[in-house]
Amino acid sequence: TGPYAAGKEKYGFEGLVTPVINGKPFYQAYLIVRKDSPFRTLMDLKGHTFAFTDPDSNTGALVPRYWLSQLGQTPDTFFNAVIFTHSHDNSIMAVAKSMVDGACVGSPFWDYFQARNPVYTSRTRIIKKSEWFGGPPLVAAKHLSVGLKSKIRHLLVEMNDDPDGKNILDKLRIDSFRPTEEPWYATVNQMKRDIKNAGLEGQHVEKH
């Protein structure tokens, strides 16, 4: 979602479909801590360690930076140490193993592991949820023809009507796909503008 909202105009790719999970084409950011930790709010993590996923991730980086900007803070001023794990499952594992005190991850990832393989998620606890954002879309490069993009979109939208396709979706805990709608992603760029206007953009660097 983050790279899509940030790069759509620059690179010209097109959102084809968005996954529908639990009846919604939307997802949230989960702020997680270790289950047996004393942390209850974001403020409780001040001066502690934190894991981001990818620097361009919406739920794994932008959302927590936005939350901090509302407090007049950046990751550098708020946390004692910050790392990038480069995946949501790595962030979940880092919290579960007490490598960091907190992390922010996308709800589809945490919910998937909690339902299918809760080895690490069961050792974590959600203390804050974001608003809803358009889910990570499947995109097509701008050089593809309109006809081909339409065929791919149709194939994915109809996937849950095919027994083999539905089996694949069920394993991924995806209900179906819906054509992507641009308004679902407007708040992502708005958060970036709000952080910039507050002069709290900070740096994408690891701090130990």
Side-chain angles (χ1 to χ4, degrees), residues 39-197:
F39 309 116
R40 292 289 182 268
T41 68
L42 175 60
M43 280 302 301
D44 292 338
L45 289 169
K46 184 173 176 59
H48 292 276
T49 56
F50 197 82
F52 291 89
T53 56
D54 184 272
D56 294 322
S57 172
N58 177 45
T59 53
L62 178 61
V63 170
R65 287 174 52 227
Y66 175 71
W67 284 340
L68 291 177
S69 74
Q70 293 180 307
L71 301 173
Q73 301 276 346
T74 68
D76 290 336
T77 62
F78 191 81
F79 298 116
N80 178 55
V82 173
I83 65 170
F84 286 99
T85 65
H86 301 288
S87 75
H88 294 267
D89 50 339
N90 281 345
S91 287
I92 294 169
M93 182 176 64
V95 173
K97 290 188 171 184
S98 297
M99 297 169 64
V100 294
D101 295 309
C104 206
V105 299
S107 58
F109 302 94
W110 193 93
D111 292 343
Y112 175 86
F113 287 114
Q114 182 68 358
R116 297 292 171 87
N117 186 19
V119 173
Y120 294 122
T121 52
S122 64
R123 291 156 61 183
T124 69
R125 175 166 43 86
I126 301 167
I127 62 171
K128 184 177 176 67
K129 295 182 180 182
S130 72
E131 63 181 292
W132 295 94
F133 304 102
L138 279 75
V139 303
K142 63 181 179 180
H143 66 265
L144 293 186
S145 69
V146 173
L148 181 55
K149 286 188 284 191
S150 178
K151 287 180 180 179
I152 295 171
R153 181 182 289 110
H154 178 76
L155 176 68
L156 292 168
V157 168
E158 299 296 322
M159 189 172 175
N160 62 314
D161 293 329
D162 177 84
D164 291 333
K166 189 176 188 311
N167 183 50
I168 293 171
L169 293 175
D170 287 345
K171 289 179 179 179
L172 295 171
R173 299 189 77 245
I174 294 175
D175 301 339
S176 62
F177 289 106
R178 278 183 56 179
T180 299
E181 297 184 26
E182 290 307 309
W184 297 344
Y185 304 91
T187 53
V188 177
N189 286 327
Q190 184 60 54
M191 285 192 298
K192 289 184 178 181
R193 288 191 292 269
D194 289 346
I195 293 171
K196 183 176 181 179
N197 291 338

